[in-house]
Amino acid sequence: MTQPSSVALASEPPAAGLWASVAEGIYWAQIPLPFRLNQVNVWLIDDEDGWALVDCGIDSPDVRAIWETLLANLPDGRPISRIIATHGHTDHVGCAGYLTDKLKVPFEATLVEWLKARIRYADAAQEQSSEEDRFLTMHGCEPAVTAQMREEFKSIGQYLWPMPGRLRALRSGEKLRIGNRSFEVLVHGGHADSHASFYCADDRILVAGDQVLPRISPVIAVFEDLPEADPLGDYLASLRDLTELPENALVLPGHGVPFTELGSRLTALKRHHEERLAALEAMIELPITAFAAAERLFERSFQSGHRRFALGETLAHLHRLERDNRAMRHTSDGGTVRWGKC
């Protein structure tokens, strides 16, 4: 097997507004985020007469100014030829509509993620959602907390520009040709409903998006639109699938720095969620609401204003425990759900 082409792993991210080479024909830049996770990676891949851009960050005046600098500094002076999204979360596609319109280039993503981003944009404009209120209330949130969580969600919506109106839909297993490289499209659930990663077998390079991150687990959460989903089951299945790739593949993640040793990272992510499942199982010895469990399991997230995500992650783990016959739900006459051991 060959080694990844001309790998130049960096322990530090590229300087603001500049591109750094990480492999032959692949460049890296970072877009700042106004969240606790304060940056997102974007990638340029040699596309013969131009560059394919993977992901693009949020939309804001500051980010548009950063893009003006990045576009002025494109390697070899070649233009961006297309924009490809790993998934439809705001930190990855917030600026996609603006950039595709500005550059007059096509947009590629899985159909589900394109649609989910369009729905997310429409939802952000609503004053309130009765379905969201009902969901939060049944899992133990008081009215004041429900209102605060709604504002947390709306604050993220301001960074999403309307999505591109046209799409080339990516499908799982298809061969995506980018320049002289062939990437297999790997579509998995868990963090997003139809997250696409891209694997080049010839160079053993995985453009991983958020499916595999170097230092943290991506958010695996249940929200009101799919209240009975099992995203953790989907995510653990994706980790098993990815173990089929070479252990020392070069991973280009959605956040953090590029890394090798994919195999050990997949093992660590699986262990992390197993430990969290065990901690939550011990916590529900006496039945409690998901909100009460989240407050204990994600104390730091509660303190930093990320309660909605903490609740969603707790529910994802509770749903997995329930499917494994390690937890069961009890619903009161008033509709409040509490979770306890089987």
Side-chain angles (χ1 to χ4, degrees):
M1 284 191 256
T2 60
Q3 291 295 321
S5 302
S6 303
V7 174
L9 290 180
S11 59
E12 297 293 333
L18 297 179
W19 299 96
S21 175
V22 293
E24 182 180 342
I26 300 181
Y27 288 80
W28 171 33
Q30 289 193 325
I31 303 296
L33 299 173
F35 314 128
R36 191 171 76 186
L37 189 59
N38 62 8
Q39 55 74 30
V40 64
N41 294 327
V42 299
W43 309 96
L44 289 180
I45 302 176
D46 189 343
D47 200 18
E48 294 183 343
D49 293 334
W51 297 97
L53 171 65
V54 180
D55 290 339
C56 52
I58 63 169
D59 181 60
S60 72
D62 289 344
V63 167
R64 291 187 185 189
I66 290 169
W67 271 114
E68 289 299 322
T69 302
L70 288 171
L71 293 172
N73 291 323
L74 288 170
D76 303 332
R78 286 181 289 156
I80 288 175
S81 57
R82 51 177 153 165
I83 296 175
I84 303 169
T86 57
H87 60 298
H89 291 172
T90 301
D91 55 332
H92 291 258
V93 299
C95 210
Y98 168 77
L99 286 174
T100 55
D101 185 60
K102 175 182 175 65
L103 302 173
K104 303 297 187 290
V105 296
F107 179 71
E108 304 178 22
T110 61
L111 176 62
V112 169
E113 291 303 305
W114 178 66
L115 291 172
K116 288 294 289 274
R118 290 168 70 93
I119 292 169
R120 194 172 291 113
Y121 178 80
D123 285 349
Q126 294 183 4
E127 287 302 314
Q128 68 179 70
S129 165
S130 59
E131 192 57 51
E132 181 182 16
D133 289 352
R134 184 160 47 249
F135 174 80
L136 295 174
T137 299
M138 72 182 288
H139 289 299
C141 299
E142 297 294 332
V145 173
T146 297
Q148 291 166 358
M149 286 190 177
R150 192 186 308 121
E151 289 305 311
E152 290 172 11
F153 172 70
K154 289 185 68 175
S155 69
I156 297 174
Q158 67 182 301
Y159 300 111
L160 179 61
W161 187 254
M163 289 294 289
R166 298 180 64 184
L167 172 74
R168 192 187 87 77
L170 301 174
R171 298 177 181 273
S172 183
E174 77 168 276
K175 299 300 183 182
L176 179 66
R177 196 78 189 176
I178 304 178
N180 62 4
R181 284 186 170 99
S182 177
F183 290 84
E184 181 179 359
V185 179
L186 308 175
V187 177
H188 293 111
H191 176 62
D193 294 303
S194 293
H195 182 293
S197 302
F198 310 100
Y199 180 63
C200 177
D202 289 340
D203 293 332
R204 289 191 289 173
I205 295 175
L206 176 67
V207 184
D210 283 3
Q211 205 68 21
V212 185
L213 298 176
R215 296 181 62 85
I216 62 172
S217 169
V219 172
I220 311 296
V222 172
F223 297 114
E224 67 278 359
D225 58 339
L226 294 170
E228 298 301 325
D230 178 26
L232 182 56
D234 294 338
Y235 185 66
L236 294 174
S238 81
L239 298 182
R240 291 192 293 271
D241 288 347
L242 291 170
T243 59
E244 299 297 319
L245 302 183
E247 292 188 2
N248 64 342
L250 171 62
V251 182
L252 308 181
H255 306 272
V257 300
F259 65 97
T260 53
E261 300 179 350
L262 172 64
S264 61
R265 185 62 192 141
L266 295 173
T267 298
L269 285 164
K270 180 175 181 289
R271 183 171 59 248
H272 164 78
H273 287 288
E274 289 172 343
E275 291 171 352
R276 183 158 286 173
L277 285 167
L280 189 55
E281 185 177 18
M283 197 178 295
I284 59 173
E285 192 71 42
L286 295 175
I288 58 175
T289 66
F291 181 82
E295 194 170 17
R296 294 168 59 183
L297 196 63
F298 293 97
E299 182 178 357
R300 183 182 173 192
S301 293
F302 265 65
Q303 293 173 349
S304 59
H306 293 82
R307 290 172 295 183
R308 190 171 181 273
F309 290 107
L311 175 63
E313 288 223 45
T314 301
L315 281 167
H317 287 76
L318 286 168
H319 285 190
R320 180 90 304 260
L321 288 174
E322 182 181 43
R323 284 162 172 77
D324 289 340
N325 296 314
R326 296 164 63 185
M328 62 185 301
R329 66 182 84 186
H330 310 270
T331 305
S332 71
D333 292 340
T336 299
V337 175
R338 288 179 172 78
W339 296 83
K341 298 191 74 170
C342 290

